[in-house]
Amino acid sequence: MVATLFPLDLGSIMHHLWLMLLPFLGLVSVAPAEKGLEFPRYDGKDRVLDINDRNYRKAMNKYSMLCLLYHEPIPDSKELQKKHQMTEMVLELVAQVLEEKDIGFGMVDAKKDAKVAKKLGLDEVDSVYVFKEDRVIEFDGLLSANTMTEFLLDLLEDPVEVLDNALELKAFNRMDEEIRLVGFFKNQESEHFEAFKEAAEQFQPYIKFFATFEKTVAKQLTLKMNEVDFYEPFMEEPVTIPEKPHSEEELVAFITKHRRPTLRKLRAEDMFETWEDDIEGIHIVAFAEEEDPDGFEFLEILKEVARDNTHLPDLSIVWIDPDDFSLLIPYWEKTFKVDLFRPQIGVVNVTDADSVWMAMDDEEDLPTAQELEDWIEDVLSGKVNTEDDDEEDDDDDDDDDDDDDDDDDEDDDDDDDDDDDDDDDSDEDEDDDDDDDDDDDDE
Amino acid sequence: MVATLFPLDLGSIMHHLWLMLLPFLGLVSVAPAEKGLEFPRYDGKDRVLDINDRNYRKAMNKYSMLCLLYHEPIPDSKELQKKHQMTEMVLELVAQVLEEKDIGFGMVDAKKDAKVAKKLGLDEVDSVYVFKEDRVIEFDGLLSANTMTEFLLDLLEDPVEVLDNALELKAFNRMDEEIRLVGFFKNQESEHFEAFKEAAEQFQPYIKFFATFEKTVAKQLTLKMNEVDFYEPFMEEPVTIPEKPHSEEELVAFITKHRRPTLRKLRAEDMFETWEDDIEGIHIVAFAEEEDPDGFEFLEILKEVARDNTHLPDLSIVWIDPDDFSLLIPYWEKTFKVDLFRPQIGVVNVTDADSVWMAMDDEEDLPTAQELEDWIEDVLSGKVNTEDDDEEDDDDDDDDDDDDDDDDDEDDDDDDDDDDDDDDDSDEDEDDDDDDDDDDDDE
């Protein structure tokens, strides 16, 4: 459609390209009259290396960190080629922004550079691997310049934060969304602190490690010398890791075993990893906007239920705050047929995104903790599932979806809704034609 | 530099273009094997109207909201043209994502469409104006697809949130970063609630309005019938707006007068507006990462000082959490010559971004509330300022910058640092040449 709007000349190809590139863009830096808030613009310099057999070792030695995107072979399709190049450009922008931080960036082709990939242990295509000293950190999150930059800056920080006083302890206590460990050690030189630090490096920046050397802080945390507590997100009480003092290996083993929490918040930096960590192909997903009173209320109920049921090994709920993923809200509303202006909880089949949602008539009709617990029990027992409603539209389980307005496009896919509004838009399309011609004249 | 790497053919022009477009990109959607997290990609359909004399009225009538970017005339420079088109594409993506929400999008050219702009009251170039019923809402924030989408979705919500119970009140109490108003009214039909709602619409979504119809909630808020409390960010006690009940106009006048807080957090949705709201050309800026124990501790001290000094009309501190603006961290570190891994407070001249920062030897050396207050007093009296140190490198005010590693590029500008690393990078550049040729062969 776009192609027909422009005469086939260079200007048109450029315009066409810009349109095609849209999915990858994020922000536009408007130069303000004031100074102090200037977003970086790419300066055109190539910083991302094409890693191959000849240069990978040198790159590893040169930088304090090397950040490699392991990607599919360059595809034949123009569309996929563009996608690939945009990914490269996200890396280019991040490389430019972090230029002073001694981080190298590179691309490893899964086919052309298969040998290097094997040597380096890269296995998940489309993941980013960061090499830092003797560690490899996989990044399986949102490939945006923002998220990548924040992730890499986090990796440059100390793996263990030290809590010196009551105020810093307060900061620690507020972070209830995170998996956290905190230990009490004699001092920075303690061998047990050293082991704790080594373990911290294995999980940086995904799991937060804290330590204190102060008796008063330790007392408030009810920590004995060399003791380490493990805090599951949203739980009130931590678990003390048994049999102190701990070697690095013991700590790593314990964390690895207890890593999947009963309730976790979806985060940009590991969203795909979290989504892949489903239980038998499904996720229990809760949407709740923490900044919204109803969302907050629902979340408090959900936390209560999670706390009461944290002993169930198969219970793992993903909480998504829609505010963190604005661009996905309409996609989710359409795919799951729910209204995300209010809280929702449902079961999502990660293979086909089929889903079923708990019935709530309106914002005033939030479930009680008991009702939510009963519903979750029904999910775990298979009584509520995503397959039953595929046949019959209504059963007595209250699990029919409450899609008020969306019935009309029940079977629509994302790809083919251009047609829907053709009638409404025909006038605008004419206007657009005129406008685009105007634009061309200006070029 | 890039241009020399590619033979001048269509492939090269495309590649070159992609490189040039980099500053505007944000995220790349990697298609996961699982379903449920698919970021939208632009489908190539034109949705953004070129608004002109002939079509603006129709567009206003057609949609429940119309979102117009008021932009500079299309420039002659290719570089600026690209920037303009990228801005348009941010709008295109937002328009696509919000397609079902009945929002129109358009561009208004400051020169070509001057007549329409005047009719519509657009005055600040590069701002976005949203027309909703009889209101115009200016957006002077980060022009990213994410921020725009969140902003527009917020505008679709009710302007007043109702607090029904103790849990929802808890959500309200947590939002201490926001300017908030809360009123107690008889019921939804109350004329005073109506006036409150009308006032809320004037400030949506920048200022949050809450109401309760429940006596128990009102009691906890110490609100009498028809009383409205104004909460300045980070203050412990609200101000009761005098002389209840209030008309819409009285509420608007009070808020307008008290809108600039003693301490405010920089937000993407109005960051440029906040930055423009300087006091005599300067901002007191505090950098503190709330998730970091030291940052949190510093912030608590800062809040205490702000509370104790909220009576000073000329005191307005901008708190920036670096986590919210990852891409700007290296820019700020370079411009302001500070280490943003730890808390900082300084004075920034918004005309030239010249700045002076309070001395803190290390993380353990956070100022006490008294020291911070003394320093702020020195800023307000002009004793600490950004001009003094331009001549002499060291005075007795402790305001010399603690730029440990950055001395070498003291006078460098952002634009000309390509040269710095030419020596180090020459090997990589050769590699890049090879790699880029490879890429071209693949295309």
Side-chain angles (χ1 to χ4, degrees), chain A residues 2 5 14-15 17-19 21-30 34-39 41-46 49-50 55 58 62 81-83 85-87 89-90 92-93 97 101 126 142-145 149-150 153 157 161 164-165 167-168 170-171 174-175 271 275-276 290-292 294 296-297 300 323 326-333 341 350-351 364 418 424-425 427-428 432 435-436 443, chain B residues 2 5 14-15 17-19 21-30 34-39 41-44 46 49-50 58 62 79 82-83 85-87 89-90 92-93 97 101 126 142-145 149-150 153 157 161 164-165 167-168 170-171 174-175 178 271 275-276 290-292 294 296-297 300 323 326-333 341 350-351 364 418 421 424-425 427-428 431-432 435-436 443:
Chain A
V2 171
L5 297 177
M14 285 164 72
H15 193 123
L17 256 172
W18 281 311
L19 290 172
L21 288 173
L22 179 55
F24 311 106
L25 49 85
L27 57 91
V28 171
S29 68
V30 174
E34 290 79 17
K35 298 259 182 218
L37 295 183
E38 278 141 278
F39 278 86
R41 313 192 61 198
Y42 181 50
D43 58 12
K45 187 170 162 185
D46 261 324
L49 309 170
D50 190 345
N55 66 4
K58 195 176 146 197
K62 180 168 171 181
Q81 274 179 27
K82 272 170 224 151
K83 200 176 123 183
Q85 282 172 298
M86 291 309 296
T87 317
M89 290 212 283
V90 169
E92 284 286 5
L93 182 58
V97 165
K101 303 285 184 189
D126 284 336
L142 183 60
L143 268 183
S144 80
T149 303
E150 196 178 341
L153 287 173
E157 297 207 47
E161 287 276 357
D164 291 315
N165 55 46
L167 263 182
E168 296 193 359
K170 199 173 155 194
R174 286 177 73 252
M175 297 178 201
M271 59 188 293
W275 202 249
E276 284 166 25
E290 197 174 16
E291 284 277 288
D292 177 89
D294 296 306
F296 180 84
E297 186 182 352
E300 290 290 298
D323 269 356
S326 308
L327 286 176
L328 287 180
I329 294 175
Y331 158 76
W332 280 324
E333 289 191 328
F341 279 133
V350 297
T351 317
E364 271 74 60
D418 281 2
D424 303 333
D425 285 349
D427 290 339
E428 273 65 48
D432 283 350
D435 303 338
D436 290 312
E443 269 168 17
Chain B
V2 171
L5 298 176
M14 286 163 72
H15 192 124
L17 257 171
W18 282 312
L19 289 174
L21 288 172
L22 178 55
F24 311 106
L25 49 84
L27 56 91
V28 171
S29 66
V30 173
E34 291 79 15
K35 298 258 184 222
L37 295 183
E38 277 141 278
F39 278 85
R41 313 192 62 198
Y42 180 51
D43 59 13
D46 261 325
L49 309 171
D50 190 346
K58 193 175 148 197
K62 180 168 172 180
E79 179 67 14
K82 272 170 223 151
K83 203 176 121 182
Q85 281 172 297
M86 290 310 295
T87 317
M89 290 212 284
V90 169
E92 284 286 6
L93 181 57
V97 165
K101 304 284 183 189
D126 284 337
L142 183 60
L143 267 183
S144 80
T149 302
E150 195 177 341
L153 287 173
E157 297 206 46
E161 288 276 357
D164 291 315
N165 55 45
L167 263 182
E168 296 192 359
K170 198 173 157 195
R174 286 176 73 252
M175 297 177 200
E178 309 274 347
M271 58 187 295
W275 204 248
E276 283 166 25
E290 197 173 15
E291 285 276 290
D292 177 88
D294 297 306
F296 180 84
E297 186 183 353
E300 289 290 298
D323 270 356
S326 307
L327 286 177
L328 287 180
I329 294 176
Y331 158 77
W332 281 324
E333 290 191 327
F341 278 134
V350 297
T351 316
E364 271 74 59
D418 281 2
D421 344 62
D424 304 332
D425 286 348
D427 291 338
E428 272 68 46
D431 285 345
D432 283 350
D435 305 336
D436 289 311
E443 268 170 15

Side-chain angles (χ1 to χ4, degrees), chain B residues 84-355:
Chain B
H84 170 74
Q85 281 172 297
M86 290 310 295
T87 317
E88 188 173 352
M89 290 212 284
V90 169
L91 282 196
E92 284 286 6
L93 181 57
V94 175
Q96 171 185 328
V97 165
L98 297 178
E99 182 147 45
E100 318 267 312
K101 304 284 183 189
D102 192 29
I103 308 175
F105 291 84
M107 312 276 283
V108 179
D109 186 303
K111 191 171 147 201
K112 226 174 48 169
D113 308 314
K115 245 169 69 184
V116 183
K118 206 178 158 194
K119 265 186 218 156
L120 295 174
L122 316 184
D123 53 7
E124 188 166 354
V125 159
D126 284 337
S127 272
V128 170
Y129 292 85
V130 181
F131 293 82
K132 186 187 173 187
E133 284 144 36
D134 52 351
R135 288 185 301 132
V136 189
I137 303 115
E138 187 180 343
F139 173 88
D140 194 11
L142 183 60
L143 267 183
S144 80
N146 246 320
T147 309
M148 279 294 301
T149 302
E150 195 177 341
F151 177 83
L152 292 168
L153 287 173
D154 280 352
L155 273 179
L156 292 176
E157 297 206 46
D158 287 335
V160 179
E161 288 276 357
V162 175
L163 303 174
D164 291 315
N165 55 45
L167 263 182
E168 296 192 359
L169 183 58
K170 198 173 157 195
F172 169 83
N173 285 328
R174 286 176 73 252
M175 297 177 200
D176 69 340
E177 295 171 4
E178 309 274 347
I179 303 183
R180 290 160 297 159
L181 287 94
V182 61
F184 173 36
F185 305 99
K186 188 148 187 273
N187 53 37
Q188 295 266 7
E189 287 70 41
S190 150
E191 56 171 322
H192 307 302
F193 176 63
E194 198 52 47
F196 186 72
K197 217 163 71 178
E198 297 283 338
E201 284 178 357
Q202 309 281 327
F203 298 99
Q204 194 187 7
Y206 296 116
I207 295 181
K208 311 272 179 242
F209 283 67
F210 298 85
T212 190
F213 308 116
E214 307 293 331
K215 269 190 198 148
T216 51
V217 175
K219 205 178 156 193
Q220 285 182 274
L221 288 163
T222 67
L223 279 177
K224 296 193 182 69
M225 181 63 70
N226 296 325
E227 206 166 61
V228 174
D229 275 3
F230 177 92
Y231 285 73
E232 186 181 330
F234 309 113
M235 295 298 133
E236 256 149 16
E237 294 300 324
V239 177
T240 299
I241 302 184
E243 292 172 47
K244 70 179 174 80
H246 313 285
S247 68
E248 177 190 351
E249 293 71 25
E250 285 162 357
L251 289 167
V252 170
F254 185 91
I255 296 163
T256 307
K257 191 173 161 204
H258 293 81
R259 191 170 184 175
R260 181 157 66 198
T262 306
L263 177 60
R264 55 183 152 179
K265 187 178 184 183
L266 193 71
R267 310 184 289 187
E269 69 258 37
D270 54 3
M271 58 187 295
F272 298 118
E273 198 171 308
T274 299
W275 204 248
E276 283 166 25
D277 184 31
D278 54 75
I279 298 186
E280 297 182 12
I282 65 150
H283 273 303
I284 298 179
V285 175
F287 286 103
E289 201 183 320
E290 197 173 15
E291 285 276 290
D292 177 88
D294 297 306
F296 180 84
E297 186 183 353
F298 181 72
L299 208 51
E300 289 290 298
I301 299 166
L302 185 63
K303 285 180 198 171
E304 190 187 329
V305 173
R307 283 175 199 135
D308 289 348
N309 293 279
T310 190
H311 56 283
L312 298 176
D314 280 353
L315 181 60
S316 179
I317 303 166
V318 178
W319 161 38
I320 302 178
D321 190 328
D323 270 356
D324 295 340
F325 301 94
S326 307
L327 286 177
L328 287 180
I329 294 176
Y331 158 77
W332 281 324
E333 290 191 327
K334 198 166 178 174
T335 308
F336 299 145
K337 299 186 186 70
V338 287
D339 172 5
L340 293 187
F341 278 134
R342 45 203 188 95
Q344 303 284 354
I345 188 164
V347 188
V348 176
N349 180 326
V350 297
T351 316
D352 55 9
D354 193 11
S355 64

Side-chain angles (χ1 to χ4, degrees), chain A residues 187-230:
Chain A
N187 54 36
Q188 295 265 6
E189 287 71 42
S190 148
E191 58 172 318
H192 307 303
F193 175 63
E194 198 51 48
F196 185 71
K197 218 162 72 178
E198 296 283 338
E201 285 179 357
Q202 310 279 328
F203 298 99
Q204 194 188 6
Y206 297 115
I207 295 180
K208 310 272 179 243
F209 283 66
F210 298 85
T212 191
F213 309 116
E214 307 293 331
K215 267 189 198 148
T216 52
V217 175
K219 204 178 157 192
Q220 284 182 274
L221 288 163
T222 66
L223 278 177
K224 295 192 183 68
M225 180 62 70
N226 295 325
E227 205 166 62
V228 174
D229 275 4
F230 177 92

Side-chain angles (χ1 to χ4, degrees), chain B residues 364-409:
Chain B
E364 271 74 59
D365 186 40
L366 294 181
T368 62
Q370 189 54 54
E371 285 164 349
L372 192 54
E373 202 162 331
D374 291 345
W375 181 86
I376 286 173
E377 209 170 278
D378 287 348
V379 173
L380 295 182
S381 74
K383 197 169 157 199
V384 168
N385 65 68
T386 59
E387 309 307 315
D388 279 3
D389 72 336
D390 291 357
E391 298 303 313
E392 41 188 348
D393 222 339
D394 226 321
D395 57 28
D396 51 13
D397 273 326
D398 274 354
D399 59 357
D400 48 312
D401 36 13
D402 49 12
D403 40 338
D404 319 10
D405 323 354
D406 299 337
D407 288 315
D408 40 332
D409 51 17

